[in-house]
Amino acid sequence: MPDGKVLATNRKARHDYHIEETFEAGIVLQGTEVKSLRDGRASLKEAYAEVQGGEVFLVGCHISPYEAGNRFNHDPLRKRKLLLRRQEIRGLIGKVQQKGLTLIPLAFALRGRRVKVELALARGKKLYDKREDIKRRTMEREIAQAIKVVGQV
């Protein structure tokens, strides 16, 4: 998300998935959830989005209960509705069903007073893909170090 304060990220997403396309969606939250998010108390590790009856829901996202929330606190693992345009939802339905892609959240961000979710259409990586990524990053790091050493001489 280019602008806005990032509240929580899914750091494993880019490691476990090939990201094909990203979307920005609004999310329906309760007041204590927003306060807890602003404190940075959310986890997107196990989260994914699913389409049910023409609507998109975020499942498995853990937003910790707000400490000062008393009896009005929320359920930490409840399903949360995502707000997307109808055309976007139709497109997502086709891609998820036909191409074997999945919807995963990448980050929560604050845009003005609103909380937004960055969603990604992604395909799961195989173990050998992960190994290739690790090798590539290691090579790039070694090359950058060698260039840095040569530049200092």
Side-chain angles (χ1 to χ4, degrees):
M1 293 191 161
D3 52 345
K5 180 184 175 191
V6 176
L7 303 173
T9 58
N10 187 351
R11 297 177 65 203
K12 289 285 273 181
R14 295 189 192 279
H15 183 312
D16 292 339
Y17 297 94
H18 292 289
I19 306 298
E20 305 216 349
E21 196 174 347
T22 59
F23 300 93
E24 185 176 316
I27 184 167
V28 178
L29 296 172
Q30 296 175 354
T32 55
E33 289 175 320
V34 175
K35 291 178 180 183
S36 190
L37 268 174
R38 285 176 182 254
D39 288 344
R41 302 193 51 192
S43 172
L44 293 170
K45 248 182 211 173
E46 305 285 322
Y48 63 95
E50 65 183 12
V51 181
Q52 292 180 345
E55 295 180 335
V56 183
F57 292 94
L58 186 62
V59 180
C61 170
H62 186 278
I63 299 177
S64 298
Y66 186 59
E67 292 169 358
N70 62 38
R71 65 185 177 136
F72 298 110
N73 252 331
H74 59 277
D75 175 25
L77 287 172
R78 75 179 184 89
K79 276 187 178 180
R80 293 165 180 94
K81 184 177 177 181
L82 297 177
L83 306 172
L84 290 163
R85 291 192 168 89
R86 192 170 293 139
Q87 300 91 323
E88 290 176 323
I89 294 173
R90 283 191 199 122
L92 290 176
I93 290 172
K95 290 176 183 175
V96 168
Q97 288 177 348
Q98 293 174 0
K99 295 185 180 180
L101 299 173
T102 186
L103 277 169
I104 56 167
L106 297 177
F108 279 126
L110 203 58
R111 284 277 193 80
R113 296 185 61 198
R114 309 239 188 260
V115 176
K116 301 288 183 173
V117 179
E118 184 179 12
L119 277 180
L121 261 173
R123 184 179 313 278
K125 282 186 182 178
K126 305 287 187 217
L127 184 60
Y128 57 84
D129 290 333
K130 294 178 188 178
R131 288 182 185 149
E132 286 176 13
D133 284 349
I134 292 169
K135 286 179 190 174
R136 183 182 44 80
R137 280 196 304 262
T138 306
M139 294 281 284
E140 288 173 357
R141 190 178 313 118
E142 289 173 358
I143 291 170
Q145 288 174 352
I147 291 172
K148 186 177 177 182
V149 169
V150 170
Q152 291 176 353
V153 174

